[in-house]
Amino acid sequence: MSKYKKFLGIFFSLFFLWLALRKIDFYALPKTLSSLDPVYILLLIIAYTLEMLTRTHRWLIIQPKESLTFKYSFYGLIMTFFFNNILPARAGEFFKPFYFSQKGIAESGETLGAVVLERFFDGIMLLGLILISFQNFTGNDLLRKASIITAVFYSLILFGILLAIFKRNIFERIIKSIVYFFPRKIGDFLSNIALKFVDGLSTIKDLKRLIKILLSSSICWASSVLTMWLGFKAFGFTENFIQASFVLTVLSISSMIPASPGVLGIYEYFCIFTLSNVLGHTSEDGAAFSIVMHGIQYFYIVFLGLIIAFIEGITVKEFAPKTPNNEI
């Protein structure tokens, strides 16, 4: 990973963290935090676990392999989030291709295509949440523009995926035109990765599997909304599931901004911004909510990630050099 990407991510994180906390009355935070309902915190953790288990099962549908068990799928999921939390530039997204290749489950290029397909279905779910947000929260110009940009972004991804699957010959010609300008060794490498990538997208041709992925994706995101709503309840907020969906949508869109590991600062700023500027809570309520929600999700993943890393003997040094930025 280039130093430029690392610096840009750290800069954005520090900048948004400063924006988020510059007007917070820190003396008011302990009072807000003391009002937390531990029962809802426990239910929140259970809902977050349900999301992880559902995402694990979805991957078994996206990349059906006899050697891919529920355990390896779960390990791959948690370690993806784990490395996203400790490495910059969302390097964890490349863990599954590395891990499944090491385990002999699937070639890295094929898994990379499945990763993109997974993100594509997440994009479909996010688009659905954006449409809900348009109907219920149209007053904020910044959020509306961000929603439009996100919708266009995922629409372009959809077009590229459909082109790769149903017009493979055109896709291959485009790839050949692009790699022509690279040195032969790098060009052959990129071309091979691209073709394996298309193989990983072949799942979408199977209608039954497509429906299963859509259903499991819906459950995944419903679990995320439930987790957010339970967070509201833990703080005594009265917002409903629609408003929980809205906050989740804003946080999902903001996660695309380059950031330091764990989207530190960006999560806090947009959480506080949404709760205070749109839903009418105080900035202190928003700050306490963002700290608790982000903290629970972050340490949940780090805790499980450390256990899995110990069991599997995975180290940062072993994984990081395998990421594409270093490999090429």
Side-chain angles (χ1 to χ4, degrees):
M1 294 165 220
S2 68
K3 292 182 180 179
Y4 170 77
K5 288 183 179 179
K6 294 180 182 179
F7 172 79
L8 188 64
I10 293 173
F11 170 78
F12 274 117
S13 282
L14 291 177
F15 174 70
F16 279 105
L17 189 62
W18 172 75
L19 286 179
L21 302 179
R22 63 192 177 118
K23 295 183 179 180
I24 300 297
D25 180 5
F26 290 95
Y27 291 103
L29 290 181
K31 181 180 179 181
T32 303
L33 293 171
S34 65
S35 65
L36 278 171
D37 188 331
V39 174
Y40 280 110
I41 292 295
L42 177 60
L43 293 175
L44 184 158
I45 294 173
I46 293 173
Y48 192 58
T49 302
L50 175 63
E51 180 186 350
M52 295 298 106
L53 295 176
T54 307
R55 287 183 177 274
T56 298
H57 180 262
R58 181 178 65 168
W59 186 264
L60 295 175
I61 305 172
I62 291 176
Q63 194 173 40
K65 298 283 184 180
E66 291 184 4
S67 55
L68 180 58
T69 63
F70 190 90
K71 180 184 79 171
Y72 288 139
S73 179
F74 182 74
Y75 283 3
L77 172 73
I78 296 299
M79 294 307 292
T80 293
F81 288 124
F82 174 77
F83 281 113
N84 277 340
N85 279 347
I86 67 172
L87 294 176
R90 299 187 68 85
E93 298 299 330
F94 299 102
F95 178 79
K96 281 181 182 176
F98 159 75
Y99 180 62
F100 292 160
S101 176
Q102 292 287 90
K103 290 292 183 180
I105 295 172
E107 294 186 25
S108 58
E110 183 181 355
T111 304
L112 184 60
V115 169
V116 174
L117 187 60
E118 180 186 36
R119 293 293 169 264
F120 164 69
F121 282 102
D122 282 337
I124 291 177
M125 297 298 110
L126 181 56
L127 282 175
L129 293 181
I130 288 174
L131 291 176
I132 294 174
S133 299
F134 264 124
Q135 290 181 343
N136 294 275
F137 302 95
T138 57
N140 191 287
D141 188 57
L142 175 62
L143 294 178
R144 184 167 59 253
K145 289 180 179 178
S147 298
I148 293 173
I149 292 172
T150 304
V152 171
F153 173 75
Y154 278 108
S155 297
L156 291 174
I157 291 178
L158 170 60
F159 175 77
I161 288 176
L162 293 178
L163 182 67
I165 294 173
F166 297 105
K167 294 293 182 179
R168 180 165 180 158
N169 58 332
I170 297 177
F171 182 82
E172 289 180 359
R173 286 202 297 268
I174 294 174
I175 293 299
K176 288 180 180 178
S177 301
I178 294 174
V179 301
Y180 175 80
F181 297 97
F182 289 87
R184 182 174 179 179
K185 185 177 180 180
I186 296 178
D188 290 342
F189 169 79
L190 292 175
S191 180
N192 181 59
I193 288 292
L195 294 178
K196 292 296 182 182
F197 164 81
V198 176
D199 291 337
L201 298 176
S202 59
T203 300
I204 204 171
K205 288 185 177 180
D206 188 332
L207 181 59
K208 289 184 179 179
R209 191 170 295 155
L210 173 63
I211 294 174
K212 288 181 180 179
I213 298 173
L214 284 171
L215 288 175
S216 60
S217 296
S218 300
I219 297 174
C220 291
W221 282 80
S223 300
S224 296
V225 173
L226 176 61
T227 300
M228 187 66 65
W229 179 79
L230 289 170
F232 287 164
K233 300 297 289 184
F235 277 86
F237 298 167
T238 59
E239 277 74 15
N240 56 32
F241 286 104
I242 297 295
Q243 290 154 323
S245 300
F246 172 67
V247 175
L248 180 63
T249 300
V250 174
L251 293 176
S252 298
I253 294 174
S254 67
S255 68
M256 299 178 188
I257 300 173
S260 62
V263 292
L264 177 66
I266 291 176
Y267 184 104
E268 283 70 23
Y269 171 76
F270 282 96
C271 196
I272 295 171
F273 174 86
T274 307
L275 287 172
S276 60
N277 288 33
V278 182
L279 299 182
H281 292 278
T282 66
S283 296
E284 288 70 30
D285 284 344
F289 183 84
S290 68
I291 291 170
V292 170
M293 293 296 290
H294 200 186
I296 289 175
Q297 294 174 12
Y298 184 90
F299 289 109
Y300 178 101
I301 293 297
V302 169
F303 175 72
L304 289 181
L306 289 174
I307 294 175
I308 294 171
F310 176 77
I311 293 173
E312 292 290 283
I314 301 167
T315 65
V316 175
K317 289 184 178 180
E318 180 188 18
F319 165 64
K322 310 297 182 182
T323 57
N325 287 322
N326 292 310
E327 189 172 334
I328 295 175

